[in-house]
Amino acid sequence: MPQHPDARATRDPAAREADLFARLPAALAAALRAPAYAAHLAGIDPDSVADRAALARLPVLRKGEMPALQRAALPFGGFVPGEVGGFARLFTSPGPIFEPQRSGDDPWGGARCLAAAGFAPGEVVLNTFGYHLTPGGFIFDTAARALGCAVIPAGPGNVEQQLDLIEAYRPAGYCGTPDFLRILVEAAGKAGRDASSLRKALVSGAAFPPSLQQEIAGHGIDAYQAFATADVGFIAYETAAREGLVVNEDILLEIVRPGTGDPVPEGEVGEIVVTVLDPDRPLIRYALGDLTAALPGISPCGRTGPRIRGWMGRADQAAKVKGMFVRPEQVAEIARRHPELGRLRLVVTRADEADAMTLRAEAASGGAALAEAVGETLRAVTKLRGTVELVAPGTLPNDGKVVADERPVG
């Protein structure tokens, strides 16, 4: 099995819990230096939050609220202590949500996640996550470099050029979405290109169902999943045990009943809430909108961190498509730009082992020209391609749902 990159991954669970809660008061004190957190956590004594019961009494901050909160107080909504210029890099993600890079050589905590997937120092890694404006590329880049790997900062797309890079540099590892990994290896096969150096992968940002896992394994690539977000970094990661995902070090993870801050019993599906103990970028009970369930016991791989089943859907209407979030606010922007449309519903599915979007829009008239125009707006707003289906007025349900994620779970 892959080597553990540090002793913390295998320490006694009680010692890990004690360490996290010993460090929590300092993170709370740092958060209180940010004006919005000071209001959000008003009356909280950091030293009194000494266990999970006390943590569960703190208010939840929902990721879905951040775009509006940040618009009201640019750039970070008052939830980040310190000055903007004190950070190394500044990003934006769809929403938009503005995010600073964390401090340190491995700011998003990914080196151990790559090690668990079999990556080793001295290897070359092809990183196909985007480096433009969003943090995805840097999240995996810094993790690989912290582990001692050389990184090809490829970003997404440009398949032929990426095959040139693979043949030249012979990377052993791949980081990116599972969909794009499939595209690369299939393109190599059709073109007679040599991509045989790729033998391991850490994938994220899109669903990785068993059918696609088998297809990737058929190409001789041992692929593992990571659950990561732009604002938190690596939250949990798969290991050689293939039994759920191990929660990353330095993160307090709770699973709560959606719409509340109340922890659910072990094994029950609920919304992921994380607390990140970074004094420069603290996150206190940050609800991600993603669903999962806790697994009992310790992973057979020897890592002793808590485990989750992995991503099990969304607690809100946002959906992650090809590594990018699409949100109700974006559908509303499309409607604003096309007042001739009635109700809209963005339906997310899977087609040919890839994420697919269809925007269903009520329209009394317009035909192909209107559908094409709406499709261009869809791409401009979400930065993703999708099809547009115009339907008669009154066809879509009057249920308030504007993003429908119909992909199979698991």
Side-chain angles (χ1 to χ4, degrees), residues 321-394:
V321 182
K322 297 181 179 179
M324 304 280 282
F325 274 108
V326 291
R327 302 179 183 279
E329 295 89 346
Q330 292 171 306
V331 179
E333 174 62 17
I334 296 170
R336 187 191 67 78
R337 297 188 189 186
H338 295 276
E340 66 271 34
L341 299 178
R343 295 194 187 103
L344 285 81
R345 178 175 296 214
L346 187 64
V347 180
V348 184
T349 56
R350 296 281 292 179
D352 297 325
E353 298 294 4
D355 291 339
M357 297 193 312
T358 299
L359 181 64
R360 304 190 71 207
E362 294 182 354
S365 61
L370 176 59
E372 183 178 354
V374 174
E376 289 297 323
T377 302
L378 173 64
R379 183 182 179 189
V381 171
T382 67
K383 307 300 187 290
L384 295 164
R385 293 183 182 273
T387 59
V388 174
E389 179 185 343
L390 300 180
V391 299

Side-chain angles (χ1 to χ4, degrees), residues 122-373:
E123 292 181 333
V124 177
V125 175
L126 178 73
N127 183 24
T128 68
F129 283 107
Y131 285 79
H132 181 61
L133 296 181
T134 59
F138 290 97
I139 289 174
F140 283 78
D141 187 301
T142 54
R145 292 174 62 191
L147 187 60
C149 299
V151 180
I152 305 170
N158 301 312
V159 172
E160 289 189 13
Q161 188 173 10
Q162 297 227 19
L163 294 177
D164 291 340
L165 291 167
I166 292 170
E167 289 183 329
Y169 289 118
R170 311 302 295 160
Y174 166 94
C175 292
T177 66
D179 299 344
F180 190 63
L181 177 57
R182 170 178 169 268
I183 290 171
L184 275 179
V185 294
E186 286 189 350
K190 291 178 181 177
R193 306 294 296 270
D194 183 7
S196 61
S197 66
L198 292 175
R199 284 291 176 262
K200 60 193 74 173
L202 187 62
V203 300
S204 189
F208 195 33
S211 57
L212 184 53
Q213 294 175 31
Q214 293 170 8
E215 185 176 342
I216 295 300
H219 289 282
I221 299 173
D222 196 18
Y224 291 79
Q225 300 178 70
F227 176 43
T229 65
D231 33 20
V232 178
F234 287 86
I235 296 168
Y237 57 98
E238 194 173 17
T239 76
R242 303 286 188 181
E243 292 189 11
L245 276 64
V246 175
V247 175
N248 203 5
E249 304 295 325
D250 304 316
I251 287 179
L252 272 165
L253 186 143
E254 303 169 89
I255 302 174
V256 306
R257 189 159 288 107
T260 76
D262 303 328
V264 301
E266 185 179 84
E268 185 173 326
V269 176
E271 182 179 8
I272 298 172
V273 170
V274 295
T275 295
V276 179
L277 308 179
D278 181 348
D280 296 323
R281 177 65 165 105
L283 289 170
I284 309 299
R285 299 207 82 202
Y286 191 59
L288 299 177
D290 293 296
L291 298 173
T292 195
L295 291 175
I298 292 173
S299 172
C301 76
R303 290 171 176 81
T304 58
R307 292 182 299 154
I308 59 176
R309 287 177 59 184
W311 184 81
M312 299 180 67
R314 292 289 297 170
D316 58 25
Q317 288 190 41
K320 187 178 283 186
V321 182
K322 297 181 179 179
M324 304 280 282
F325 274 108
V326 291
R327 302 179 183 279
E329 295 89 346
Q330 292 171 306
V331 179
E333 174 62 17
I334 296 170
R336 187 191 67 78
R337 297 188 189 186
H338 295 276
E340 66 271 34
L341 299 178
R343 295 194 187 103
L344 285 81
R345 178 175 296 214
L346 187 64
V347 180
V348 184
T349 56
R350 296 281 292 179
D352 297 325
E353 298 294 4
D355 291 339
M357 297 193 312
T358 299
L359 181 64
R360 304 190 71 207
E362 294 182 354
S365 61
L370 176 59
E372 183 178 354

Side-chain angles (χ1 to χ4, degrees), residues 8 10-23 249 304:
R8 295 197 302 158
T10 56
R11 59 184 162 166
D12 180 74
R16 175 183 292 104
E17 190 84 347
D19 174 57
L20 289 171
F21 277 96
R23 294 161 55 199
E249 304 295 325
T304 58

Side-chain angles (χ1 to χ4, degrees), residues 109-123:
R112 67 175 54 82
C113 310
L114 286 165
F119 290 60
E123 292 181 333

